[in-house]
């Protein structure tokens, strides 16, 4: 028996050249994802579907591939199908349909549940097939009645569907439809840099951008330097590793905020939080230029904490000329937590994380006028460009590719490691 994975992509409304470009990117992401799982399988487009050719007869491997592919942005739904290739089976002349009836009968018995109703859905994109869709549906339903215990059909609200798709290249049969995450394939809409902290919000924000087709890199501001030997065990690195199972290739830049901290030491400014935000944006913007990122992303959520006010958001925006995107701005906290659970990030995100933001005052300013901040920065943070340079000089870089660490480099280190 041949298996294939059939993928129906999301955003069918996309038109013309855009669409073919998106499908190309989707196929590329799928191929890379499969490779990362050890499956060097072909991914092809036929009509408005993408097919994964599965050489193995190992059903377990095929099922694992389906589960993992369902997490890739750009897929509406997908199915593991039994595949009867034309011309081997000569369906189009209607000569040898017995193997299809045998399989339908096997599947009908396999999925049977007492009291439930079924329906057969035939799609015939090759009109050479001798029966029309309704005739073939009836013939298959008759076979199910005769060879299994199914007794009731319900065309609209069936509990169990049997799907048969007749194309010029062969016929697929399946009983399952697995939902994908929708959206657009990664790398189809540009690159963003995400400000990643130790909580729930920024990883979810990064995922939302990836699911709208962005390639995503990360920057984290840390109080401590990390030993390169085990930097990948650091909470932030584990979050990025996990996200990269979906985002594909993602870089993590870890920079110290110690220079900023030192500069403000003993100043006792209650503006320190928003000054820190502006500092993060400025350092990040330097990296954005290097990696060609079009926007910065944060996990900000309006009003969630005292510092996340419109005033403070505005003051941060004024610090740099690149756009700052905040995909979670209007989310409720429970929606964010639920999303982190769906993404399998809840456990790692809830781990305690002390490293970050020790410098922040207990009652941060909720109102901050950017012209006041400009003045404070001139007054207390003279040498701002040195501050940025010193910070960037101490960057540690990790690169992940579909869940694998593929590169790491510490500041001052000429060598790179895998
Ligand atoms: P999160 O759940 O993402 O930690 P939060 O609710 O704790 O967010 P804040 O700590 O106010 O909110 O941070 C708001 C946003 O600022 C974060 O979502 C993140 O994008 C960015 N941010 C905060 N601290 C850091 C940091 N140390 N390094 C990089 N980005 C940071
Ligand atoms: Mg935080």
């Amino acid at each position: 028996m041949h298996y294939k994975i059939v993928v129906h992509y999301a955003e069918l409304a996309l038109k013309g050249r855009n669409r073919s470009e998106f499908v190309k990117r989707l196929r590329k992401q799928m191929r890379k994802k499969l490779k990362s799982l050890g499956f060097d399988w072909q991914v092809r487009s036929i009509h408005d579907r993408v097919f994964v050719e599965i050489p193995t007869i190992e059903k377990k491997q095929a099922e694992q591939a389906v589960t993992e592919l369902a997490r890739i942005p750009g897929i509406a739904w997908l199915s593991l199908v039994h595949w009867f290739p034309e011309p081997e089976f000569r369906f189009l002349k209607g000569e040898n349909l017995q193997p299809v009836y045998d399989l339908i009968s096997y599947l009908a018995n396999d999925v049977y549940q007492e009291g439930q109703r079924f329906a057969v859905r035939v799609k015939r994109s090759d009109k050479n097939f001798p029966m029309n869709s309704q005739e073939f549906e009836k013939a298959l339903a008759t076979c199910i009645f005769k060879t299994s215990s199914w007794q009731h059909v319900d065309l609209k609200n069936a509990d169990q569907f049997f799907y048969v798709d007749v194309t010029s290249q062969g016929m697929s049969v399946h009983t399952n439809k697995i939902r994908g995450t929708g959206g657009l394939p990664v790398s189809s809409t540009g690159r963003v840099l995400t400000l990643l902290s130790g909580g729930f919000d920024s990883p979810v924000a990064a995922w939302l951008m990836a699911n709208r087709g962005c390639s995503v890199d990360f920057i984290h501001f840390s109080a401590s330097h990390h030993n390169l030997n085990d930097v990948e065990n650091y909470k932030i690195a584990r979050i990025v590793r996990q996200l990269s199972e979906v985002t594909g290739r993602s870089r993590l830049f870890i920079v110290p905020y110690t220079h900023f901290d030192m500069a403000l030491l003993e100043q006792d400014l209650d503006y320190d939080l928003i000054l820190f935000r502006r500092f993060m944006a400025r350092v990040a913007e330097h990296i954005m230029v290097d990696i060609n990122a079009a926007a910065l992303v944060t996990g900000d959520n309006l009003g969630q904490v005292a510092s996340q006010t419109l005033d403070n958001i505005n003051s941060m925006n004024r610090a740099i000329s690149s756009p700052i995107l905040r995909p979670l701005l209007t989310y409720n906290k429970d929606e964010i937590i639920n999303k982190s659970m769906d993404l399998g990030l809840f456990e790692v995100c809830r781990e305690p994380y002390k490293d970050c933001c020790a410098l922040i005052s207990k009652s941060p300013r909720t109102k901050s006028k950017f012209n006041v901040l400009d003045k404070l920065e001139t007054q207390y943070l003279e040498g701002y460009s040195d501050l940025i340079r010193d910070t960037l000089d101490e960057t540690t870089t990790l690169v992940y590719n579909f869940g694998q660490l593929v590169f790491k480099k510490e500041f001052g280190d000429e060598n790179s490691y895998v």
Side-chain angles (χ1 to χ4, degrees):
M1 173 54 63
H2 290 269
Y3 290 110
K4 265 185 206 282
I5 297 169
V6 180
V7 171
H8 288 234
Y9 36 84
E11 307 283 335
L12 278 171
L14 292 168
K15 293 275 174 349
R17 282 184 55 200
N18 255 358
R19 182 149 153 191
S20 63
E21 187 59 28
F22 287 140
V23 175
K24 212 164 87 191
R25 307 236 176 204
L26 176 61
R27 284 203 310 264
K28 200 166 156 196
Q29 290 299 115
M30 287 172 60
R31 229 183 343 255
K32 286 187 187 166
K33 176 78 195 173
L34 289 166
K35 262 204 156 149
S36 77
L37 300 167
F39 306 140
D40 198 359
W41 297 346
Q42 260 192 46
V43 180
R44 298 196 299 145
S45 297
I46 303 177
H47 303 303
D48 54 357
R49 321 271 156 84
V50 174
F51 285 83
V52 179
E53 309 291 338
I54 304 184
T56 172
I57 48 158
E58 280 279 328
K59 194 167 181 213
K60 267 225 161 82
Q61 288 190 346
E63 283 169 346
Q64 185 199 357
V66 169
T67 313
E68 286 298 319
L69 285 176
R71 302 167 63 200
I72 292 279
I75 294 176
W77 58 269
L78 72 174
S79 306
L80 182 58
V81 304
H82 300 265
W83 181 255
F84 298 93
E86 184 74 18
E88 191 181 327
F89 284 87
R90 302 178 67 80
F91 298 117
L92 296 182
K93 292 191 171 162
E95 284 176 6
N96 189 13
L97 290 172
Q98 194 52 45
V100 181
Y101 291 122
D102 290 347
L103 176 65
I104 279 284
S105 162
Y106 166 79
L107 292 173
N109 283 292
D110 195 38
V111 299
Y112 173 72
Q113 295 212 24
E114 207 180 330
Q116 290 201 340
R117 294 159 185 273
F118 78 94
V120 180
R121 287 268 164 90
V122 169
K123 197 168 171 224
R124 194 180 60 132
S125 48
D126 194 297
K127 305 296 177 207
N128 289 317
F129 190 65
M131 280 181 263
N132 69 27
S133 303
Q134 278 182 348
E135 287 166 346
F136 197 25
E137 279 172 1
K138 269 194 196 142
L140 291 164
T142 307
C143 167
I144 291 173
F145 281 131
K146 276 193 186 152
T147 60
S148 73
S149 309
W150 288 95
Q151 288 174 352
H152 303 290
V153 167
D154 186 336
L155 292 182
K156 285 224 169 96
N157 296 310
D159 304 293
Q160 176 68 57
F161 286 93
F162 296 86
Y163 300 95
V164 177
D165 200 347
V166 185
T167 75
S168 57
Q169 317 227 350
M171 192 180 307
S172 74
V173 179
H174 69 99
T175 52
N176 60 16
K177 271 189 171 187
I178 292 154
R179 270 183 97 80
T181 65
L184 298 168
V186 165
S187 86
S188 64
T189 57
R191 178 173 298 282
V192 293
L193 181 64
T194 300
L195 278 169
L196 185 69
S197 53
F200 288 99
D201 303 336
S202 36
V204 172
W207 179 86
L208 287 169
M209 295 309 296
N211 210 54
R212 287 312 297 172
C214 287
S215 304
V216 186
D217 292 313
F218 300 89
I219 178 168
H220 175 68
F221 289 77
S222 169
S224 35
H225 289 308
H226 302 276
N227 185 334
L228 203 57
N229 287 330
D230 71 356
V231 65
E232 58 260 45
N233 293 323
Y234 179 48
K235 176 177 178 181
I236 295 294
R238 283 184 286 123
I239 291 175
V240 174
R241 190 206 64 69
Q242 210 165 317
L243 276 165
S244 81
E245 290 176 6
V246 172
T247 61
R249 187 171 183 278
S250 280
R251 286 167 283 199
L252 166 61
F253 305 99
I254 304 173
V255 295
Y257 65 71
T258 37
H259 299 282
F260 176 85
D261 206 5
M262 296 292 281
L264 279 192
L265 204 66
E266 292 175 11
Q267 301 294 357
D268 199 22
L269 296 175
D270 48 6
Y271 281 105
D272 56 359
L273 181 69
I274 183 60
L275 290 175
F276 179 52
R277 290 286 185 82
R278 284 159 65 93
F279 168 73
M280 287 198 295
R282 290 189 178 112
V283 172
E285 196 175 40
H286 276 77
I287 292 185
M288 287 170 66
V289 172
D290 287 349
I291 64 173
N292 209 8
L296 190 62
V297 173
T298 77
D300 283 324
N301 182 237
L302 192 59
Q304 187 193 86
V305 292
S307 61
Q308 294 178 359
T309 60
L310 285 177
D311 250 2
N312 282 350
I313 283 171
N314 195 22
S315 295
M316 183 177 180
N317 288 356
R318 297 277 179 154
I320 58 173
S321 57
S322 308
I324 304 179
L325 307 179
R326 298 175 172 87
L328 292 179
L329 198 69
T330 61
Y331 277 48
N332 298 322
K333 192 73 191 181
D334 56 340
E335 293 175 298
I336 298 170
I337 298 286
N338 287 344
K339 194 72 216 166
S340 82
M341 284 178 175
D342 289 350
L343 297 174
L345 286 165
F346 180 75
E347 288 304 325
V348 57
C349 290
R350 77 198 287 218
E351 286 175 23
Y353 186 63
K354 297 251 164 48
D355 185 54
C356 185
C357 308
L359 78 166
I360 301 312
S361 57
K362 286 198 183 62
S363 50
R365 284 275 180 156
T366 53
K367 286 192 191 301
S368 60
K369 291 287 174 237
F370 50 89
N371 44 355
V372 175
L373 296 169
D374 283 343
K375 271 198 205 126
L376 287 176
E377 279 161 356
T378 331
Q379 192 177 345
Y380 295 103
L381 297 168
E382 36 188 286
Y384 211 109
S385 51
D386 290 348
L387 194 58
I388 293 177
R389 205 201 43 239
D390 291 347
T391 302
L392 286 169
D393 277 351
E394 293 180 25
T395 309
T396 296
T397 308
L398 304 183
V399 184
Y400 288 89
N401 192 32
F402 289 96
Q404 300 271 335
L405 179 67
V406 292
F407 176 90
K408 59 179 170 177
K409 191 173 193 302
E410 201 174 22
F411 63 93
D413 187 349
E414 291 303 313
N415 302 313
S416 53
Y417 307 87
V418 175

